[in-house]
Amino acid sequence: MSKEMSSNKEKIVTIDGPSGVGKSTISRMVAASLSFTYLDTGAMYRAVGLKLQEENVDLTDDTAVRECLSTVSLELLPASTESDDVGVLLNGRDVSRAIRSVEMAMVASEVSSLPAVREKLTRMQQEIGNGGKIVAEGRDTGTVVFPNAAWKFYLDATPEIRMQRRADQLKLQGKQVDEKELLAMIVKRDHDDQSRSIAPLCKAVDAYIIDTGTLSIDGVSKAMLTRINQL
Ligand code: DC
């Protein structure tokens, strides 16, 4: 671990990047190596998206969105194995599986552009990260949520490579995959996440950029741990 981390930096690792770039697997590996807590911020956007969808809330009505959000409580459950996603309890109900569909990813992306949603979840994430020792993964963790994080990473890869990885995962789960449609969804989500006016997906100026298209998952996690130990 860093010997001379500057005192105004928080003991937090942030890992941002577009969907399907390998963030979750790599974040889990890095968190386990450092004995830090893994914070999957995307899971929170997915759970809130599910709630707003279930309640049929008009997303153009800020008051209605805020009213619905005021009833939301979220609890993140640690992943049971290294290859598992973290679980989420939404008002005590286990929605871990329900939030992981391709459709819920699109809903999460849509609701993530709403100011009320971003305010609530950013605040919750900052509270979780308060004590440090966190590996936070998402779109804005290095830019907005934890701007003082000591170690910031931005992972990238082409949409085609990311689509292929996601398609392989879905096929392993026995799901039918239309690769053209999947690629179109990835490109749309990239565009929406990068072009929203609040906390868009972008590289923090002080983030270390890693192309995950040319490295194995192990290679990426080793490169990150090396850098963390150097800084
Ligand atoms: O990482 P993920 O695929 O689970 O994220 C789902 C969506 O949530 C993503 O398309 C945009 C949104 N999101 C966000 O806006 N900010 C974050 N820090 C994490 C996710």
Side-chain angles (χ1 to χ4, degrees), residues 139-165:
R139 304 293 186 287
D140 63 339
T141 62
T143 50
V144 174
V145 187
F146 301 117
N148 285 324
W151 307 283
K152 296 184 187 179
F153 296 91
Y154 188 92
L155 307 186
D156 216 348
T158 64
E160 289 75 16
I161 287 178
R162 291 185 277 127
M163 181 281 288
Q164 202 54 60
R165 285 199 192 125

Side-chain angles (χ1 to χ4, degrees), residues 44 47-48 51 68-76 88-95 120-121 124:
M44 301 169 81
V48 162
K51 177 74 175 169
C68 177
L69 288 177
S70 70
T71 68
V72 167
S73 81
L74 294 180
E75 194 185 327
L76 299 181
V88 181
L89 296 182
L90 170 62
N91 295 342
R93 175 167 59 107
D94 191 343
V95 295
K120 177 169 177 112
L121 293 187
M124 282 175 82

Side-chain angles (χ1 to χ4, degrees), residues 57-58 60-69:
V57 176
D58 174 359
T60 63
D61 182 345
D62 183 62
T63 308
V65 171
R66 283 178 196 276
E67 231 165 69
C68 177
L69 288 177

Side-chain angles (χ1 to χ4, degrees), residues 15-20 23-24 38-46 85 99-101 104-113 117-118 121-122 125 136-142 145 166 189-190 192-193 196 198-201:
I15 305 180
D16 291 309
S19 60
K23 293 190 303 292
S24 304
Y38 164 47
L39 173 59
D40 178 357
T41 62
M44 301 169 81
Y45 284 93
R46 287 168 184 258
D85 288 315
I99 62 170
R100 294 296 170 188
S101 65
M104 279 316 300
M106 299 306 280
V107 172
S109 179
E110 187 184 0
V111 304
S112 74
S113 66
V117 171
R118 293 220 79 86
L121 293 187
T122 300
Q125 290 154 15
E137 174 225 323
R139 304 293 186 287
D140 63 339
T141 62
V145 187
R166 185 77 185 119
R189 196 140 71 99
D190 283 358
D192 292 350
D193 289 348
R196 64 170 176 246
I198 322 167
L201 166 64

